Amino acid sequence: GQQLNQSPQSMFIQEGEDVSMNCTSSSIFNTWLWYKQDPGEGPVLLIALYKAGELTSNGRLTAQFGITRKDSFLNISASIPSDVGIYFCAGRKGGATNKLIFGTGTLLAVQP
Amino acid sequence: GAVVSQHPSRVICKSGTSVKIECRSLDFQATTMFWYRQFPKKSLMLMATSNEGSKATYEQGVEKDKFLINHASLTLSTLTVTSAHPEDSSFYICSAYYNEQFFGPGTRLTVL
């Protein structure tokens, strides 16, 4: 099935550093979501974006819905060890199904 | 709010047997639930959309006779892997829709 392209694939950073990751698509989406998955667990919703250009924050996390509607960005400021995990973007094109298409994931490792 | 549970969290079975996985929305009603499969270090792949009171909608390439889905109530969907084989071993995750998709903790299936 279709997947969204996420970059970088993985990041290894020091505690306290800021992190940026993005998600791109060749087609337009009406909704962008960002999830975090810990090993052996299900994804947890971090941020939801519903309008092109929208910028939304959740604590140290900030995400933006790209104005072309084909991309989204997630920033994490002042990273801490518990930020470790895999971050997935997900897009929804709309319609009646509410189906999501997931990105390839970004693995984040934080060195204390 | 928006808590989703899955049972069992882990299951080991012999080849040829059937395994049932339950997905429950604990504090909300969900007319739509989704079933995903995730291979190690890979993203989530949607298997099917489960609608309460009607037949599930399967994604292309997913065998509906092998992966039986039942959504008999507004808080429960079940996935039955019939005649399981080692290649069915995977991490199965459900989500329930309540304005957005909220995920369960996943079920690790190992088929010997």
Side-chain angles (χ1 to χ4, degrees), chain A residues 3 35 37 50 92 98 103, chain B residues 38 43 59 100-101 103-104:
Chain A
Q3 282 191 321
Y35 288 88
Q37 185 178 28
Y50 300 105
R92 183 167 57 238
N98 293 315
Chain B
Q38 187 177 33
S43 187
E59 294 300 298
E100 285 306 339
Q101 286 191 34
F103 285 83

Side-chain angles (χ1 to χ4, degrees), chain A residues 1-20:
Chain A
Q2 181 187 1
Q3 282 191 321
L4 304 173
N5 295 315
Q6 271 185 255
S7 65
Q9 215 173 10
S10 59
M11 303 179 74
F12 299 88
I13 62 170
Q14 295 286 328
E15 183 176 0
E17 288 184 20
D18 296 343
V19 169
S20 291

